[in-house]
């Protein structure tokens, strides 16, 4: 099965949260309500520099994805 790059998620235990799940490497879940990120990967210290650069781009892509999805409902 081929998964989309981003998935939109919610959970009734967290009614104010808006979760975006990034399914490609590096996998993560971001809560757009508070910008908290949970990484689903273990990173080597050597990878952390590259991750810092890439993380900002990926988080922006997650926000753009959410805006696009919400726009489709309107």
């Amino acid at each position: 099965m081929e998964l989309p790059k981003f998935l939109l998620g919610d959970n009734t235990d967290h009614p104010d949260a808006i979760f975006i799940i990034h399914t490609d490497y590096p996998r993560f879940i971001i809560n757009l309500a508070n910008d908290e990120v949970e990484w689903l990967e273990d990173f080597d210290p050597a990878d952390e520099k590259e991750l810092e650069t890439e993380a900002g781009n990926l988080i922006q892509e997650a926000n753009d994805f959410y805006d696009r999805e919400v726009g489709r409902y309107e």
Side-chain angles (χ1 to χ4, degrees):
M1 169 185 359
E2 188 172 330
L3 295 174
K5 184 175 182 175
F6 292 104
L7 298 169
L8 183 60
D10 68 354
N11 185 299
T12 57
D13 292 333
H14 303 277
D16 296 328
I18 302 166
F19 297 108
I20 303 295
I21 301 100
H22 181 252
T23 62
D24 290 345
Y25 181 85
R27 295 172 303 145
F28 65 88
I29 300 171
I30 183 171
N31 180 350
L32 295 181
N34 61 13
D35 292 331
E36 186 176 336
V37 177
E38 179 70 30
W39 296 98
L40 304 175
E41 309 285 355
D42 291 326
F43 297 105
D44 200 68
D47 295 335
E48 289 184 20
K49 281 273 193 217
E50 183 179 335
L51 178 63
E52 287 176 15
T53 303
E54 188 64 22
N57 295 334
L58 291 171
I59 289 168
Q60 183 58 53
E61 285 182 42
N63 279 289
D64 293 345
F65 165 77
Y66 175 75
D67 291 342
R68 186 191 80 192
E69 291 299 300
V70 169
R72 290 179 176 179
Y73 284 109
E74 295 173 351

